[in-house]
């Protein structure tokens, strides 16, 4: 009887030892640490790190924040469109009136010149005597329609052979004179002072600038530029 009790106690102790060491599987829904560590993969490569280092690693792995877009200026400081001759300036001003720009719009007068016609002439002869001599040569060739320029202009003592509104008409006369033997005649545009103007727009929005440039496209000879 004592031997039986001894062996029962021995078996119970062995079972408790096995359970305690985790050799018999689960005990109360969890495993003992030695057995659980043996079941883990690459357990030898695990390393403990501090909470601060873990936070730093998370921050380093996070994607960088998107760049902050810089706001573009909402207004244009100064835009100038020109240079208009007076008739075109009036047309342009009438077309931009609907924008209601008020005191944000101003006009600026500009000096300028425009072509008013074309002259066919023989260059200056240096003196009245020289001009009279050349006039005699023209008469000998049958050219009688001429005029000696005697004013204080750059063409003083030149000989005018005709003034025309178009360059084509001036070239036609040159061709006729060449056939008559006059080879020293020239053609040049006649210039006169003209009043030109430019429009300036200050503190306007980008949308308004776009509207102004659309209207300016109807006037191909004009250009837009920044101003102060």
């Amino acid at each position: 009887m004592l031997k039986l009790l001894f062996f029962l106690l021995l078996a119970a102790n062995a079972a408790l030892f096995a359970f305690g060491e985790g050799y018999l599987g689960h005990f109360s829904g969890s495993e003992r640490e030695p057995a659980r560590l043996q079941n883990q993969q690459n357990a030898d490569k695990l390393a403990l790190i501090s909470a601060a280092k873990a936070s730093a690693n998370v921050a380093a792995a996070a994607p960088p924040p998107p760049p902050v877009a810089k706001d573009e200026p909402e207004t244009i400081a100064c835009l100038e469109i020109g240079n208009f001759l007076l008739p075109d300036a009036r047309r342009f001003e009438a077309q931009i009136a609907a924008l209601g720009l008020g005191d944000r719009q101003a006009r600026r007068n500009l000096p300028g010149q425009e072509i008013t016609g074309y002259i066919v002439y023989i260059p200056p002869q240096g003196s009245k005597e020289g001009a009279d001599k050349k006039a005699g040569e023209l008469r000998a060739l049958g050219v009688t329609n001429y005029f000696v320029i005697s004013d204080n202009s750059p063409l003083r003592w030149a000989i005018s052979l005709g003034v025309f509104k178009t360059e084509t008409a001036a070239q036609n006369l040159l061709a006729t004179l060449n056939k008559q033997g006059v080879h020293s005649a020239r053609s040049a545009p006649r210039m006169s002072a003209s009043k030109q103007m430019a429009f300036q727009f200050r503190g306007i929005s980008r949308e308004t600038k776009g509207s102004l440039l659309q209207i300016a496209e109807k006037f191909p000879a004009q250009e837009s530029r920044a101003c102060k």
Side-chain angles (χ1 to χ4, degrees), residues 7-90:
F7 283 111
L8 289 173
L9 291 173
L10 183 60
N13 286 332
L16 289 173
F17 178 80
F19 274 117
E21 294 299 322
Y23 297 120
L24 297 182
H26 296 283
F27 181 76
S28 299
S30 63
E31 295 180 337
R32 295 283 293 179
E33 288 298 325
R36 188 161 61 195
L37 288 175
Q38 290 177 0
N39 291 332
Q40 291 178 349
Q41 296 181 353
N42 299 324
D44 58 324
K45 296 181 180 180
L46 295 178
L48 296 178
I49 62 174
S50 66
K53 187 173 182 180
S55 299
N57 289 342
V58 171
V68 178
K70 295 182 178 180
D71 294 334
E72 295 185 358
E74 297 181 358
T75 58
I76 307 301
C78 185
L79 171 70
E80 183 173 272
I81 300 177
N83 304 329
F84 294 91
L85 294 176
L86 188 56
D88 284 342
R90 288 172 177 167

Side-chain angles (χ1 to χ4, degrees), residues 18-164:
F19 274 117
E21 294 299 322
Y23 297 120
L24 297 182
H26 296 283
F27 181 76
S28 299
S30 63
E31 295 180 337
R32 295 283 293 179
E33 288 298 325
R36 188 161 61 195
L37 288 175
Q38 290 177 0
N39 291 332
Q40 291 178 349
Q41 296 181 353
N42 299 324
D44 58 324
K45 296 181 180 180
L46 295 178
L48 296 178
I49 62 174
S50 66
K53 187 173 182 180
S55 299
N57 289 342
V58 171
V68 178
K70 295 182 178 180
D71 294 334
E72 295 185 358
E74 297 181 358
T75 58
I76 307 301
C78 185
L79 171 70
E80 183 173 272
I81 300 177
N83 304 329
F84 294 91
L85 294 176
L86 188 56
D88 284 342
R90 288 172 177 167
R91 288 175 48 222
F92 180 75
E93 193 167 32
Q95 294 185 34
I96 65 175
L99 300 177
L101 298 177
D103 58 3
R104 291 176 294 167
Q105 171 186 331
R107 289 187 298 182
R108 185 167 73 93
N109 292 328
L110 302 170
Q113 288 188 326
E114 61 179 323
I115 297 175
T116 57
Y118 293 84
I119 181 173
V120 177
Y121 68 102
I122 293 175
Q125 300 301 301
S127 65
K128 183 179 184 303
E129 291 75 15
D132 288 341
K133 179 180 179 182
K134 179 61 68 173
E137 294 174 2
L138 291 173
R139 288 192 300 271
L141 294 172
V143 178
T144 59
N145 187 16
Y146 63 84
F147 174 75
V148 175
I149 301 174
S150 58
D151 59 16
N152 289 323
S153 71
L155 290 180
R156 181 178 173 85
W157 306 127
I159 301 176
S160 171
L161 299 168
V163 176
F164 305 89

